Amino acid sequence: MSSHASTVDPKKAELWDTHHHSHDVISTRTLGYFLYLLSDGMLFATLFAAYGVLSYQHSYFGGPTPAEFVKPWYTFAQTIALFLSVLAYGFGMNALKHKNKSGLINGMLAAFVLGVVFLVLDIHDMSHLYSMGITLASSGGMSAFMVLTQVHATHIFFGLIWILVMIAQVMTKGFTEETVGRLLTLRMFWHLQAVIWVFVYIFVYLWGYIS
Amino acid sequence: MLVDLPGGWSPLLGRLAWSQIPYANPILAPLFVAVVIGAIAIIGLITYYGKWTYLWKEWLTTVDHKKLGVMYIIIGLVMLFRGFIDGLMIRTQQVWAVGPHSSGVFGSLHGYLTPFHFGQVYSAHGLIMILLAATPLLVGFMNIIVPIQVGARDMAYPYLNALGLWITAAAAALIMISLFVGDFAHNGWFEYAPIFEMQYSPGVGVDYWIWTLQLVALGTTLGGINILATIIKMRAPGMTWGKLPIFVWASLSANVIALTSFPALQIALALVTADRYLGAHFFTAGMGGNLMLYTNLFWIWGHPEVYFVILPAFGMMSEIFPTFSEKPLFGYITMVLASMAIAGVSWLVWLHHFFTMGAGPYVNTAFSVATMLVGIPTGVKVFNWAFTMYRGRLTFNAAMLWAIGALFLLLIGGLTGMMLAIPAINYMVHNSVFVVAHFHSMLLVIVYAIFGSVLYWFPKVFGFKLDEFWAKTMFWLFSAGTALVFVPMYMLGFMGMTRRLEYVFNTGWQSYLDVMEFGIVVYTLSVLAFFILLYVSVRDHAKNRVGADAWGTSRSLEWLTHSPVPFYNFAVLPHVNERDEVAWRRQHGIDNVRPEHYDDIHMPNNTGVAIIMGGLTFVLGFALTWRIWWLCIVSLLAIIGLMIIRSFRGDPGYIITGAELQRMEEEAYRREAQIADSHHSHPVSGGVVGNAMAYQRNDSSK
Amino acid sequence: MSHGAADPTMHPEVQLSTSKGYFLGFAISAFLMLVATFLVTSHSVPPFGLLMVISVCAGIAVIAQIYFLLHIDISEHNIWNTVALVLFIPLFLITIGLTWWMFSQLYLRTMDMSVMSSAMQPAVHASATPGMAAMPGMNAHSDSGN
């Protein structure tokens, strides 16, 4: 198959770019970051697949199962803390839209505090389990439960560090192309954690409780 | 820490101890001495020629995709050599230790390698060849070629690109150091549950394996994001999707696979880490663990991975065939669709690596049919290449020979793959050397495509051609070796020889093994031919200089740049009018039209952060392997800290003025005119790498 | 690598944030999580139906979040994100779904019959004691995949 019929007249064709086609740095950054986030989503999908295989009755080897220790309303409180944190960050981004620096920083601080609340609740939950002798070494099922939930918590932890770094950057550098780009990617990261949490909450905590 | 560690643990050194260094091993001890001498020689040479500043400024801190690509290829070639030596060791052990009367030396009952050491050799061979040789080689080519083929100045994220390279280098360093400190995993390159658990593999081998793989996975994921963003966002004006060079399409589909599948590997490894480090029970025999879950998770990555490595190879073939048939690629659209189809279907077939698990006829059939479906787009490609050559004006230079060789190997590997896709056959030959021969045939398709690409694109990157005679010699020796090693291997597979045998019990197989050993000797000669090729080519480089269109019949956009490619790629970004833009311009006599006006351009700065990060990830990997917890924490904090510091500093880049660009371009055009005028006149100024590649803009010092 | 171009806060991706959108995303998902938690703790719905209901809650909540929070739509600025997500979703389903299928088939064929009836289902119907007794009335040779 020879090349498709040439519709361009070689004598008049434009050979070199004269329009100073500059590329959009911010959307290049956000696209790449979104691709990374999707690969992060695949990380969780694989963890869920592993959890699915290890959540049968025999996976708990006679030991404790989520049905015995999950407290739905406690974890619901974690859910609300996280969702509020996500909302606060969203309000912060809205302030960015209006070039409102203090509004942005307030939003980020609120997101940080609420994120810490989430983590504190999670750590308290896990240490309570530890004190009852329930660890990830208890059984295959417990390994899967712990790792899946705590991988999410670890994402939250690193996100919190990132929020602090961004607060510092916004305060010192203002709204540069790089800072704004990073705020956008952080927003995507933070909001994705809420999405993942829905799956963790429903299919790990609540489903485990039902069993 | 949470796990009982056999062999002791100290807070300062973790599990590291003098006993972990194999100074009594008759093979490793001399090797170590040789390596130390070699390292001293290299360092001495660099110091003697005063090249440290050059090395640091031009190569170790670069963010230029071409130099990073060259370094990837260098890593790949070095690791290919190491992997080859491992292969040679396997073959030699298997030809020696045949039958109960075979002799044994160096403490082993038969042959010269103990089973424990042999296990490490084949595990390292597999891991290195796929992930530290083939992958960096392919990533290196994609790095060099994709930006110039889409008409961009660099990748979307130059710093991230450098980071990916140095993380990969850290992984290579980690597996190399496992030779001399501790040992490596000895349960195959992909490991099995529960033998990789602490009770059955108490040494650090499996840990080295885990962290090497994790680093490779990280580097490849970062690289994948880079290439995808570059292709989506940074194409030159006029380059619509339908005009994208076919190698770019191949890179796109391959990196989609990389991005989607590597996370599964990272999780599989993380869960093994949880078992070995935290006492979890994901894959233990008992306590609720599930052995086959590991195999499942691993191959969810593992199968797409092999398509990740073969698609760029197909892309390379698709570039070589049209150039040396002087015809456009036959069936561009179907080629693109076939690449996408392969990428998609590759996600649905992973169970064929463990048909024998016992999932039953429904599951096995579904995956079997899906596996066979992959053959259809692959077949489309084979026919398209054949039709590209049909009635073309063929040039049988070495690059073309490698591409044609790859085509034949694809036929053999693909057909045996179809056989393996059938569970009934698979049950017979699972884990035999038939499987080994099949996947080596496929991997050799990649190796052939890589060697062909080295010959094809070397003139573009370095400005002169490689010596044809030695390239062809290497090709024929390599192909003879391939035939001699793998034809008997297929036969042995049918006869029942299992893979990974340290002792071959059936003396009736001796003659086959002898032929295979002879094949390895021939391979070694081809490696020698490769070194001679490099030497002769560098020696004669002045005679073999080329201009922009090195082959005279090139078709795609990268052949518009000068050879070697200047560090800014294009002084003025081209406006793309057609698919196979360079062929179109040449056809209409407009390939020598220069831009009228040069504007200022913006380039990223070099940075030392990337290589320091790479070093830190090596330290982290080493510390995690040996469970030196304080060092883990320190290096992790250093990595995070450096990331934060860099994000504050940013990189404003620097400007090259239009006037400077014009000056450099005119010099390049002058050089090309000299080359065109007379190939045999006095050598043109400039070293092997050419000052045009130099980061320093001030070239007049030469 | 800034080009000193236009004001970064005027970039379309910044401009498409709305308080209303974020609040809606929050409200819908929080409400659905509340419903799910309430249904689960009130024990008013039988287990299998409950599973369906909370899965639907999860599904709708996630769709709301993806639209309102992640700005996944087919506008020119977000199209590539949408394309990427749409290409990834089948892979998530394949990873989890095919794994689940092959392992449930495996258990069907290889697990000991006496523990199979309770072991076969994800620990939904089982009691706290590990599958010692086959549940009365449950056909061990159920025809899932026969």
Side-chain angles (χ1 to χ4, degrees), chain B residues 218-505:
Chain B
L218 182 61
T220 313
T221 307
L222 295 178
I225 294 174
N226 221 336
I227 297 187
L228 289 174
T230 307
I231 297 174
I232 294 175
K233 286 279 181 188
M234 304 205 29
R235 286 167 280 142
M239 182 165 283
T240 57
W241 289 102
K243 303 198 186 88
L244 221 52
I246 191 76
F247 182 68
V248 177
W249 277 113
S251 304
L252 180 74
S253 40
N255 281 288
V256 165
I257 295 179
L259 189 69
T260 52
S261 63
F262 271 86
L265 173 69
Q266 292 177 305
I267 289 297
L269 293 172
L271 300 186
V272 177
T273 310
D275 273 12
R276 284 181 65 87
Y277 284 69
L278 301 172
H281 288 289
F282 283 102
F283 311 123
T284 51
M287 297 289 291
N290 189 318
L291 308 180
M292 288 311 292
L293 178 63
Y294 169 73
T295 307
N296 177 54
L297 293 178
F298 182 88
W299 286 111
I300 291 178
W301 165 78
H303 196 82
E305 155 71 10
V306 307
Y307 288 96
F308 164 64
V309 288
I310 204 142
L311 281 172
F314 287 164
M316 291 165 172
M317 289 161 75
S318 299
E319 292 283 344
I320 295 177
F321 281 122
T323 301
F324 297 116
S325 314
E326 294 184 40
K327 272 176 76 198
L329 181 69
F330 184 94
Y332 173 90
I333 293 183
T334 50
M335 276 304 220
V336 171
L337 290 174
S339 300
M340 295 291 151
I342 291 175
V345 179
S346 74
W347 254 97
L348 293 167
V349 301
W350 77 87
L351 185 127
H352 68 228
H353 296 272
F354 46 102
F355 274 135
T356 51
M357 170 173 85
Y362 301 104
V363 175
N364 279 358
T365 311
F367 279 96
S368 164
V369 169
T371 310
M372 289 193 265
L373 277 177
V374 163
I376 299 177
T378 316
V380 163
K381 285 181 173 284
V382 170
F383 281 113
N384 281 356
W385 289 317
F387 287 140
T388 304
M389 289 194 282
Y390 179 65
R391 304 195 77 158
R393 193 178 351 204
L394 302 179
T395 312
F396 288 103
N397 56 17
M400 186 64 156
L401 287 177
W402 283 112
I404 295 175
L407 193 53
F408 278 106
L409 274 169
L410 177 60
L411 281 170
I412 299 173
L415 288 172
T416 50
M418 288 298 112
M419 290 167 69
L420 287 166
I422 300 169
I425 297 183
N426 197 289
Y427 268 65
M428 296 288 110
V429 292
H430 177 71
N431 268 354
S432 71
V433 294
F434 184 85
V435 179
V436 175
H438 156 73
F439 66 69
H440 275 86
S441 303
M442 298 307 288
L443 288 166
L444 283 167
V445 172
I446 297 169
V447 171
Y448 272 59
I450 287 174
F451 285 137
S453 304
V454 168
L455 291 162
Y456 181 58
W457 275 310
F458 190 94
K460 172 53 57 187
V461 177
F462 291 104
F464 63 95
K465 286 186 184 171
L466 289 166
D467 184 79
E468 265 299 302
F469 171 75
W470 282 104
K472 283 185 173 146
T473 307
M474 180 195 172
F475 169 76
W476 289 114
L477 284 170
F478 197 93
S479 301
T482 303
L484 287 166
V485 172
F486 293 105
V487 169
M489 198 185 276
Y490 278 115
M491 297 158 95
L492 281 175
F494 273 139
M495 289 191 267
M497 178 170 166
T498 332
R499 67 192 289 190
R500 304 184 175 129
L501 291 179
E502 180 266 346
Y503 163 67
V504 182
F505 51 87

Side-chain angles (χ1 to χ4, degrees), chain B residues 114 126 134 174 193-194 206 238 325 353 361 365 408 531 561 563 588 676 694 702:
Chain B
T114 60
L174 204 57
V206 177
S325 314
H353 296 272
T365 311
F408 278 106
F531 286 126
T561 60
S563 309
H588 294 280
K702 286 277 183 356

